[in-house]
Every structure is written in C-alpha cells, then in structure tokens.
Amino acid sequence: MPNYQGGKAFGIQLARRETELDEINQQFLNSGNYDEEEELEQKLLQYKAQFIRFDLNGDGGIDEMELKQMLEKLDQPKTHLECRKMIQSADTSNTGAISYTDFLIMMLGGKASVLRMILLFEEKAKPKPKPTGI
C-alpha cells in the first residue's frame, strides 16, 4: 500500500530543521562573540530564512549545485570552479558544503567574502514596503 503522507512527512522534516537552526541561532546569541553586532537576533532570523531558501534539498548544507543555482537566481552566475572556491572559503568543517554554522560565521564575520557581499547586496536591493495612506 503506498504512503500518501509525503506532505505531512515533509512538514515534520521542515519543522525539525527549523528547530535545529533555531538552536544554532541560540548558541550564537549566547556565545558573547557577536554582542557588538547590532540587531543580532533579527539578523539571525533573516539568515535562517535565507539559508532555508538556498538549501534546496534540505540536507543541512549548501553544496556546489545549490550555491550555483542560488547565485543564478540572484543574477550573479558563477562557474563551478568559482562556486567550489566560495565553498572552500566558508567551509570550516571540510564537508564540501556550507553548513548553517559556516553560513553564520561567514555572514557575521569581519572577513569579506564574495558570497557574503552578494547576499548582503541582495538583501539591500529588495524593495522596501511603501507606506500606505488612508
């Protein structure tokens, strides 16, 4: 008999992944290493949403193909070699993918990486909601 609970299982998996990312966010908040960062909690929520959006297969890391697709969506296409170099510059655990912890270190760290600049520019380029009158 086929299992028709795919949507439910996906929802459970997504909720579990969000909980794991929230725990990592809490570790960053409690570490004291980023206390000088303005609006840290808000930034962490924003970075979590970005990471979930770019981790297409939901395995907890942004690999070379996911990075390539993400950059193409942002109108910043890169070659496989450039994507591999970007991953190597951010991958502190040598897994060949950017984990959420690596992603946060890259986004909050002082080191200017190409990927960080692209993601920060993408966020600033989003149109701000216009106030509506009565």
PDB file of all heavy atoms in Angstrom, residues 50-81:
ATOM      1  N   GLN A  50      17.168  32.860   4.761  1.00  0.00           N
ATOM      2  CA  GLN A  50      17.996  32.771   3.552  1.00  0.00           C
ATOM      3  C   GLN A  50      18.566  31.367   3.397  1.00  0.00           C
ATOM      4  O   GLN A  50      18.530  30.793   2.308  1.00  0.00           O
ATOM      5  CB  GLN A  50      19.168  33.758   3.612  1.00  0.00           C
ATOM      6  CG  GLN A  50      18.863  35.139   3.143  1.00  0.00           C
ATOM      7  CD  GLN A  50      20.109  36.003   3.125  1.00  0.00           C
ATOM      8  OE1 GLN A  50      20.981  35.903   3.999  1.00  0.00           O
ATOM      9  NE2 GLN A  50      20.205  36.872   2.143  1.00  0.00           N
ATOM     10  N   PHE A  51      19.092  30.823   4.485  1.00  0.00           N
ATOM     11  CA  PHE A  51      19.714  29.501   4.419  1.00  0.00           C
ATOM     12  C   PHE A  51      18.696  28.444   4.011  1.00  0.00           C
ATOM     13  O   PHE A  51      18.965  27.612   3.151  1.00  0.00           O
ATOM     14  CB  PHE A  51      20.351  29.145   5.771  1.00  0.00           C
ATOM     15  CG  PHE A  51      21.140  27.873   5.728  1.00  0.00           C
ATOM     16  CD1 PHE A  51      22.445  27.881   5.263  1.00  0.00           C
ATOM     17  CD2 PHE A  51      20.590  26.675   6.133  1.00  0.00           C
ATOM     18  CE1 PHE A  51      23.182  26.713   5.201  1.00  0.00           C
ATOM     19  CE2 PHE A  51      21.311  25.504   6.080  1.00  0.00           C
ATOM     20  CZ  PHE A  51      22.619  25.522   5.612  1.00  0.00           C
ATOM     21  N   ILE A  52      17.511  28.484   4.609  1.00  0.00           N
ATOM     22  CA  ILE A  52      16.465  27.514   4.267  1.00  0.00           C
ATOM     23  C   ILE A  52      16.091  27.640   2.799  1.00  0.00           C
ATOM     24  O   ILE A  52      15.892  26.643   2.104  1.00  0.00           O
ATOM     25  CB  ILE A  52      15.228  27.695   5.182  1.00  0.00           C
ATOM     26  CG1 ILE A  52      15.568  27.221   6.599  1.00  0.00           C
ATOM     27  CG2 ILE A  52      14.023  26.957   4.633  1.00  0.00           C
ATOM     28  CD1 ILE A  52      14.495  27.531   7.624  1.00  0.00           C
ATOM     29  N   ARG A  53      16.034  28.864   2.306  1.00  0.00           N
ATOM     30  CA  ARG A  53      15.675  29.089   0.902  1.00  0.00           C
ATOM     31  C   ARG A  53      16.729  28.530  -0.048  1.00  0.00           C
ATOM     32  O   ARG A  53      16.404  28.022  -1.125  1.00  0.00           O
ATOM     33  CB  ARG A  53      15.478  30.593   0.666  1.00  0.00           C
ATOM     34  CG  ARG A  53      14.800  30.910  -0.643  1.00  0.00           C
ATOM     35  CD  ARG A  53      14.415  32.359  -0.763  1.00  0.00           C
ATOM     36  NE  ARG A  53      15.596  33.168  -1.006  1.00  0.00           N
ATOM     37  CZ  ARG A  53      15.869  34.320  -0.409  1.00  0.00           C
ATOM     38  NH1 ARG A  53      15.039  34.816   0.466  1.00  0.00           N
ATOM     39  NH2 ARG A  53      16.956  34.985  -0.692  1.00  0.00           N
ATOM     40  N   PHE A  54      18.006  28.592   0.359  1.00  0.00           N
ATOM     41  CA  PHE A  54      19.083  28.159  -0.528  1.00  0.00           C
ATOM     42  C   PHE A  54      19.459  26.691  -0.357  1.00  0.00           C
ATOM     43  O   PHE A  54      20.078  26.102  -1.239  1.00  0.00           O
ATOM     44  CB  PHE A  54      20.319  29.034  -0.336  1.00  0.00           C
ATOM     45  CG  PHE A  54      20.060  30.485  -0.656  1.00  0.00           C
ATOM     46  CD1 PHE A  54      20.590  31.489   0.125  1.00  0.00           C
ATOM     47  CD2 PHE A  54      19.289  30.852  -1.737  1.00  0.00           C
ATOM     48  CE1 PHE A  54      20.355  32.820  -0.162  1.00  0.00           C
ATOM     49  CE2 PHE A  54      19.049  32.182  -2.042  1.00  0.00           C
ATOM     50  CZ  PHE A  54      19.574  33.169  -1.255  1.00  0.00           C
ATOM     51  N   ASP A  55      19.114  26.082   0.763  1.00  0.00           N
ATOM     52  CA  ASP A  55      19.372  24.650   0.975  1.00  0.00           C
ATOM     53  C   ASP A  55      18.236  23.878   0.319  1.00  0.00           C
ATOM     54  O   ASP A  55      17.299  23.443   0.967  1.00  0.00           O
ATOM     55  CB  ASP A  55      19.468  24.361   2.478  1.00  0.00           C
ATOM     56  CG  ASP A  55      19.758  22.896   2.760  1.00  0.00           C
ATOM     57  OD1 ASP A  55      20.198  22.167   1.843  1.00  0.00           O
ATOM     58  OD2 ASP A  55      19.550  22.474   3.910  1.00  0.00           O
ATOM     59  N   LEU A  56      18.329  23.707  -0.981  1.00  0.00           N
ATOM     60  CA  LEU A  56      17.219  23.177  -1.779  1.00  0.00           C
ATOM     61  C   LEU A  56      16.840  21.751  -1.414  1.00  0.00           C
ATOM     62  O   LEU A  56      15.667  21.402  -1.437  1.00  0.00           O
ATOM     63  CB  LEU A  56      17.567  23.265  -3.267  1.00  0.00           C
ATOM     64  CG  LEU A  56      17.840  24.677  -3.795  1.00  0.00           C
ATOM     65  CD1 LEU A  56      18.284  24.632  -5.246  1.00  0.00           C
ATOM     66  CD2 LEU A  56      16.622  25.557  -3.626  1.00  0.00           C
ATOM     67  N   ASN A  57      17.813  20.896  -1.110  1.00  0.00           N
ATOM     68  CA  ASN A  57      17.483  19.505  -0.821  1.00  0.00           C
ATOM     69  C   ASN A  57      17.261  19.248   0.669  1.00  0.00           C
ATOM     70  O   ASN A  57      16.951  18.127   1.066  1.00  0.00           O
ATOM     71  CB  ASN A  57      18.543  18.559  -1.377  1.00  0.00           C
ATOM     72  CG  ASN A  57      19.909  18.760  -0.768  1.00  0.00           C
ATOM     73  OD1 ASN A  57      20.075  19.548   0.162  1.00  0.00           O
ATOM     74  ND2 ASN A  57      20.898  18.059  -1.295  1.00  0.00           N
ATOM     75  N   GLY A  58      17.432  20.263   1.503  1.00  0.00           N
ATOM     76  CA  GLY A  58      17.129  20.132   2.919  1.00  0.00           C
ATOM     77  C   GLY A  58      18.084  19.261   3.708  1.00  0.00           C
ATOM     78  O   GLY A  58      17.741  18.765   4.769  1.00  0.00           O
ATOM     79  N   ASP A  59      19.304  19.083   3.214  1.00  0.00           N
ATOM     80  CA  ASP A  59      20.258  18.212   3.909  1.00  0.00           C
ATOM     81  C   ASP A  59      21.087  18.945   4.957  1.00  0.00           C
ATOM     82  O   ASP A  59      21.954  18.354   5.586  1.00  0.00           O
ATOM     83  CB  ASP A  59      21.180  17.513   2.918  1.00  0.00           C
ATOM     84  CG  ASP A  59      22.116  18.460   2.182  1.00  0.00           C
ATOM     85  OD1 ASP A  59      21.937  19.690   2.288  1.00  0.00           O
ATOM     86  OD2 ASP A  59      23.033  17.967   1.493  1.00  0.00           O
ATOM     87  N   GLY A  60      20.845  20.238   5.144  1.00  0.00           N
ATOM     88  CA  GLY A  60      21.560  20.986   6.168  1.00  0.00           C
ATOM     89  C   GLY A  60      22.820  21.666   5.686  1.00  0.00           C
ATOM     90  O   GLY A  60      23.583  22.198   6.482  1.00  0.00           O
ATOM     91  N   GLY A  61      23.052  21.664   4.386  1.00  0.00           N
ATOM     92  CA  GLY A  61      24.231  22.330   3.824  1.00  0.00           C
ATOM     93  C   GLY A  61      23.960  22.840   2.430  1.00  0.00           C
ATOM     94  O   GLY A  61      23.114  22.303   1.714  1.00  0.00           O
ATOM     95  N   ILE A  62      24.665  23.892   2.056  1.00  0.00           N
ATOM     96  CA  ILE A  62      24.558  24.431   0.698  1.00  0.00           C
ATOM     97  C   ILE A  62      25.739  23.888  -0.082  1.00  0.00           C
ATOM     98  O   ILE A  62      26.888  24.255   0.170  1.00  0.00           O
ATOM     99  CB  ILE A  62      24.567  25.974   0.706  1.00  0.00           C
ATOM    100  CG1 ILE A  62      23.394  26.507   1.524  1.00  0.00           C
ATOM    101  CG2 ILE A  62      24.528  26.521  -0.719  1.00  0.00           C
ATOM    102  CD1 ILE A  62      23.404  28.004   1.745  1.00  0.00           C
ATOM    103  N   ASP A  63      25.467  22.968  -1.006  1.00  0.00           N
ATOM    104  CA  ASP A  63      26.545  22.374  -1.789  1.00  0.00           C
ATOM    105  C   ASP A  63      26.793  23.175  -3.070  1.00  0.00           C
ATOM    106  O   ASP A  63      26.183  24.219  -3.290  1.00  0.00           O
ATOM    107  CB  ASP A  63      26.261  20.895  -2.088  1.00  0.00           C
ATOM    108  CG  ASP A  63      25.008  20.684  -2.929  1.00  0.00           C
ATOM    109  OD1 ASP A  63      24.591  21.594  -3.660  1.00  0.00           O
ATOM    110  OD2 ASP A  63      24.436  19.580  -2.856  1.00  0.00           O
ATOM    111  N   GLU A  64      27.685  22.682  -3.881  1.00  0.00           N
ATOM    112  CA  GLU A  64      28.111  23.419  -5.081  1.00  0.00           C
ATOM    113  C   GLU A  64      26.946  23.724  -6.034  1.00  0.00           C
ATOM    114  O   GLU A  64      26.811  24.846  -6.515  1.00  0.00           O
ATOM    115  CB  GLU A  64      29.175  22.595  -5.809  1.00  0.00           C
ATOM    116  CG  GLU A  64      29.830  23.292  -6.954  1.00  0.00           C
ATOM    117  CD  GLU A  64      30.905  22.430  -7.594  1.00  0.00           C
ATOM    118  OE1 GLU A  64      31.654  21.761  -6.868  1.00  0.00           O
ATOM    119  OE2 GLU A  64      30.990  22.445  -8.831  1.00  0.00           O
ATOM    120  N   MET A  65      26.090  22.741  -6.282  1.00  0.00           N
ATOM    121  CA  MET A  65      24.976  22.966  -7.210  1.00  0.00           C
ATOM    122  C   MET A  65      23.935  23.922  -6.623  1.00  0.00           C
ATOM    123  O   MET A  65      23.385  24.752  -7.330  1.00  0.00           O
ATOM    124  CB  MET A  65      24.311  21.627  -7.591  1.00  0.00           C
ATOM    125  CG  MET A  65      25.154  20.792  -8.534  1.00  0.00           C
ATOM    126  SD  MET A  65      25.688  21.670 -10.028  1.00  0.00           S
ATOM    127  CE  MET A  65      24.147  22.013 -10.822  1.00  0.00           C
ATOM    128  N   GLU A  66      23.669  23.805  -5.329  1.00  0.00           N
ATOM    129  CA  GLU A  66      22.711  24.710  -4.692  1.00  0.00           C
ATOM    130  C   GLU A  66      23.248  26.139  -4.701  1.00  0.00           C
ATOM    131  O   GLU A  66      22.501  27.082  -4.949  1.00  0.00           O
ATOM    132  CB  GLU A  66      22.439  24.260  -3.251  1.00  0.00           C
ATOM    133  CG  GLU A  66      21.639  22.978  -3.183  1.00  0.00           C
ATOM    134  CD  GLU A  66      21.570  22.395  -1.790  1.00  0.00           C
ATOM    135  OE1 GLU A  66      22.535  22.537  -1.012  1.00  0.00           O
ATOM    136  OE2 GLU A  66      20.535  21.790  -1.478  1.00  0.00           O
ATOM    137  N   LEU A  67      24.549  26.286  -4.454  1.00  0.00           N
ATOM    138  CA  LEU A  67      25.164  27.609  -4.490  1.00  0.00           C
ATOM    139  C   LEU A  67      25.085  28.192  -5.895  1.00  0.00           C
ATOM    140  O   LEU A  67      24.729  29.356  -6.078  1.00  0.00           O
ATOM    141  CB  LEU A  67      26.616  27.535  -4.017  1.00  0.00           C
ATOM    142  CG  LEU A  67      27.390  28.846  -4.027  1.00  0.00           C
ATOM    143  CD1 LEU A  67      26.741  29.882  -3.120  1.00  0.00           C
ATOM    144  CD2 LEU A  67      28.837  28.612  -3.627  1.00  0.00           C
ATOM    145  N   LYS A  68      25.370  27.370  -6.883  1.00  0.00           N
ATOM    146  CA  LYS A  68      25.317  27.822  -8.275  1.00  0.00           C
ATOM    147  C   LYS A  68      23.900  28.273  -8.643  1.00  0.00           C
ATOM    148  O   LYS A  68      23.714  29.338  -9.231  1.00  0.00           O
ATOM    149  CB  LYS A  68      25.794  26.709  -9.203  1.00  0.00           C
ATOM    150  CG  LYS A  68      25.936  27.132 -10.645  1.00  0.00           C
ATOM    151  CD  LYS A  68      26.741  26.106 -11.409  1.00  0.00           C
ATOM    152  CE  LYS A  68      26.857  26.433 -12.871  1.00  0.00           C
ATOM    153  NZ  LYS A  68      27.260  27.779 -13.184  1.00  0.00           N
ATOM    154  N   GLN A  69      22.897  27.490  -8.273  1.00  0.00           N
ATOM    155  CA  GLN A  69      21.508  27.850  -8.561  1.00  0.00           C
ATOM    156  C   GLN A  69      21.110  29.127  -7.822  1.00  0.00           C
ATOM    157  O   GLN A  69      20.426  29.981  -8.383  1.00  0.00           O
ATOM    158  CB  GLN A  69      20.572  26.708  -8.180  1.00  0.00           C
ATOM    159  CG  GLN A  69      20.676  25.523  -9.100  1.00  0.00           C
ATOM    160  CD  GLN A  69      19.814  24.356  -8.643  1.00  0.00           C
ATOM    161  OE1 GLN A  69      19.199  24.394  -7.590  1.00  0.00           O
ATOM    162  NE2 GLN A  69      19.782  23.306  -9.451  1.00  0.00           N
ATOM    163  N   MET A  70      21.539  29.246  -6.565  1.00  0.00           N
ATOM    164  CA  MET A  70      21.217  30.427  -5.774  1.00  0.00           C
ATOM    165  C   MET A  70      21.790  31.676  -6.434  1.00  0.00           C
ATOM    166  O   MET A  70      21.105  32.686  -6.579  1.00  0.00           O
ATOM    167  CB  MET A  70      21.799  30.268  -4.367  1.00  0.00           C
ATOM    168  CG  MET A  70      21.696  31.509  -3.521  1.00  0.00           C
ATOM    169  SD  MET A  70      22.635  31.380  -1.999  1.00  0.00           S
ATOM    170  CE  MET A  70      24.293  31.635  -2.594  1.00  0.00           C
ATOM    171  N   LEU A  71      23.049  31.615  -6.842  1.00  0.00           N
ATOM    172  CA  LEU A  71      23.693  32.776  -7.453  1.00  0.00           C
ATOM    173  C   LEU A  71      23.055  33.132  -8.791  1.00  0.00           C
ATOM    174  O   LEU A  71      22.931  34.298  -9.140  1.00  0.00           O
ATOM    175  CB  LEU A  71      25.195  32.524  -7.605  1.00  0.00           C
ATOM    176  CG  LEU A  71      25.954  32.442  -6.271  1.00  0.00           C
ATOM    177  CD1 LEU A  71      27.386  31.974  -6.505  1.00  0.00           C
ATOM    178  CD2 LEU A  71      25.930  33.768  -5.547  1.00  0.00           C
ATOM    179  N   GLU A  72      22.629  32.119  -9.547  1.00  0.00           N
ATOM    180  CA  GLU A  72      21.941  32.379 -10.815  1.00  0.00           C
ATOM    181  C   GLU A  72      20.613  33.091 -10.571  1.00  0.00           C
ATOM    182  O   GLU A  72      20.242  33.994 -11.313  1.00  0.00           O
ATOM    183  CB  GLU A  72      21.737  31.074 -11.590  1.00  0.00           C
ATOM    184  CG  GLU A  72      23.029  30.552 -12.192  1.00  0.00           C
ATOM    185  CD  GLU A  72      22.896  29.163 -12.794  1.00  0.00           C
ATOM    186  OE1 GLU A  72      21.816  28.547 -12.710  1.00  0.00           O
ATOM    187  OE2 GLU A  72      23.912  28.688 -13.342  1.00  0.00           O
ATOM    188  N   LYS A  73      19.895  32.691  -9.509  1.00  0.00           N
ATOM    189  CA  LYS A  73      18.631  33.360  -9.171  1.00  0.00           C
ATOM    190  C   LYS A  73      18.869  34.815  -8.785  1.00  0.00           C
ATOM    191  O   LYS A  73      17.996  35.657  -8.965  1.00  0.00           O
ATOM    192  CB  LYS A  73      17.937  32.645  -8.015  1.00  0.00           C
ATOM    193  CG  LYS A  73      17.293  31.353  -8.395  1.00  0.00           C
ATOM    194  CD  LYS A  73      16.626  30.723  -7.186  1.00  0.00           C
ATOM    195  CE  LYS A  73      16.073  29.361  -7.514  1.00  0.00           C
ATOM    196  NZ  LYS A  73      15.489  28.721  -6.317  1.00  0.00           N
ATOM    197  N   LEU A  74      20.043  35.111  -8.235  1.00  0.00           N
ATOM    198  CA  LEU A  74      20.382  36.470  -7.832  1.00  0.00           C
ATOM    199  C   LEU A  74      21.056  37.250  -8.962  1.00  0.00           C
ATOM    200  O   LEU A  74      21.609  38.322  -8.734  1.00  0.00           O
ATOM    201  CB  LEU A  74      21.310  36.440  -6.608  1.00  0.00           C
ATOM    202  CG  LEU A  74      20.742  35.786  -5.357  1.00  0.00           C
ATOM    203  CD1 LEU A  74      21.798  35.702  -4.277  1.00  0.00           C
ATOM    204  CD2 LEU A  74      19.534  36.564  -4.861  1.00  0.00           C
ATOM    205  N   ASP A  75      21.016  36.710 -10.164  1.00  0.00           N
ATOM    206  CA  ASP A  75      21.650  37.313 -11.347  1.00  0.00           C
ATOM    207  C   ASP A  75      23.146  37.523 -11.149  1.00  0.00           C
ATOM    208  O   ASP A  75      23.711  38.528 -11.588  1.00  0.00           O
ATOM    209  CB  ASP A  75      20.971  38.636 -11.721  1.00  0.00           C
ATOM    210  CG  ASP A  75      19.572  38.422 -12.263  1.00  0.00           C
ATOM    211  OD1 ASP A  75      19.338  37.390 -12.913  1.00  0.00           O
ATOM    212  OD2 ASP A  75      18.714  39.295 -12.050  1.00  0.00           O
ATOM    213  N   GLN A  76      23.782  36.578 -10.459  1.00  0.00           N
ATOM    214  CA  GLN A  76      25.227  36.600 -10.236  1.00  0.00           C
ATOM    215  C   GLN A  76      25.806  35.231 -10.600  1.00  0.00           C
ATOM    216  O   GLN A  76      26.410  34.560  -9.764  1.00  0.00           O
ATOM    217  CB  GLN A  76      25.539  36.903  -8.763  1.00  0.00           C
ATOM    218  CG  GLN A  76      25.069  38.239  -8.275  1.00  0.00           C
ATOM    219  CD  GLN A  76      25.870  39.368  -8.869  1.00  0.00           C
ATOM    220  OE1 GLN A  76      27.066  39.254  -9.101  1.00  0.00           O
ATOM    221  NE2 GLN A  76      25.214  40.484  -9.133  1.00  0.00           N
ATOM    222  N   PRO A  77      25.611  34.778 -11.851  1.00  0.00           N
ATOM    223  CA  PRO A  77      26.056  33.422 -12.197  1.00  0.00           C
ATOM    224  C   PRO A  77      27.571  33.268 -12.053  1.00  0.00           C
ATOM    225  O   PRO A  77      28.334  34.181 -12.346  1.00  0.00           O
ATOM    226  CB  PRO A  77      25.618  33.262 -13.654  1.00  0.00           C
ATOM    227  CG  PRO A  77      25.460  34.647 -14.170  1.00  0.00           C
ATOM    228  CD  PRO A  77      25.093  35.499 -12.998  1.00  0.00           C
ATOM    229  N   LYS A  78      27.966  32.102 -11.543  1.00  0.00           N
ATOM    230  CA  LYS A  78      29.376  31.778 -11.360  1.00  0.00           C
ATOM    231  C   LYS A  78      29.638  30.400 -11.943  1.00  0.00           C
ATOM    232  O   LYS A  78      28.737  29.575 -12.071  1.00  0.00           O
ATOM    233  CB  LYS A  78      29.741  31.753  -9.858  1.00  0.00           C
ATOM    234  CG  LYS A  78      29.478  33.055  -9.125  1.00  0.00           C
ATOM    235  CD  LYS A  78      30.419  34.142  -9.559  1.00  0.00           C
ATOM    236  CE  LYS A  78      30.126  35.436  -8.806  1.00  0.00           C
ATOM    237  NZ  LYS A  78      30.704  36.601  -9.424  1.00  0.00           N
ATOM    238  N   THR A  79      30.896  30.138 -12.267  1.00  0.00           N
ATOM    239  CA  THR A  79      31.278  28.824 -12.771  1.00  0.00           C
ATOM    240  C   THR A  79      31.334  27.840 -11.606  1.00  0.00           C
ATOM    241  O   THR A  79      31.342  28.237 -10.437  1.00  0.00           O
ATOM    242  CB  THR A  79      32.654  28.873 -13.457  1.00  0.00           C
ATOM    243  OG1 THR A  79      33.646  29.173 -12.462  1.00  0.00           O
ATOM    244  CG2 THR A  79      32.690  29.904 -14.576  1.00  0.00           C
ATOM    245  N   HIS A  80      31.421  26.550 -11.940  1.00  0.00           N
ATOM    246  CA  HIS A  80      31.542  25.533 -10.899  1.00  0.00           C
ATOM    247  C   HIS A  80      32.809  25.756 -10.079  1.00  0.00           C
ATOM    248  O   HIS A  80      32.802  25.590  -8.856  1.00  0.00           O
ATOM    249  CB  HIS A  80      31.552  24.128 -11.508  1.00  0.00           C
ATOM    250  CG  HIS A  80      30.217  23.702 -12.019  1.00  0.00           C
ATOM    251  ND1 HIS A  80      29.212  23.258 -11.187  1.00  0.00           N
ATOM    252  CD2 HIS A  80      29.707  23.659 -13.273  1.00  0.00           C
ATOM    253  CE1 HIS A  80      28.148  22.962 -11.902  1.00  0.00           C
ATOM    254  NE2 HIS A  80      28.418  23.198 -13.177  1.00  0.00           N
ATOM    255  N   LEU A  81      33.882  26.127 -10.740  1.00  0.00           N
ATOM    256  CA  LEU A  81      35.142  26.363 -10.043  1.00  0.00           C
ATOM    257  C   LEU A  81      35.011  27.535  -9.068  1.00  0.00           C
ATOM    258  O   LEU A  81      35.475  27.453  -7.919  1.00  0.00           O
ATOM    259  CB  LEU A  81      36.276  26.634 -11.042  1.00  0.00           C
ATOM    260  CG  LEU A  81      37.656  26.860 -10.455  1.00  0.00           C
ATOM    261  CD1 LEU A  81      38.114  25.646  -9.656  1.00  0.00           C
ATOM    262  CD2 LEU A  81      38.663  27.164 -11.556  1.00  0.00           C
TER     263      LEU A  81
END
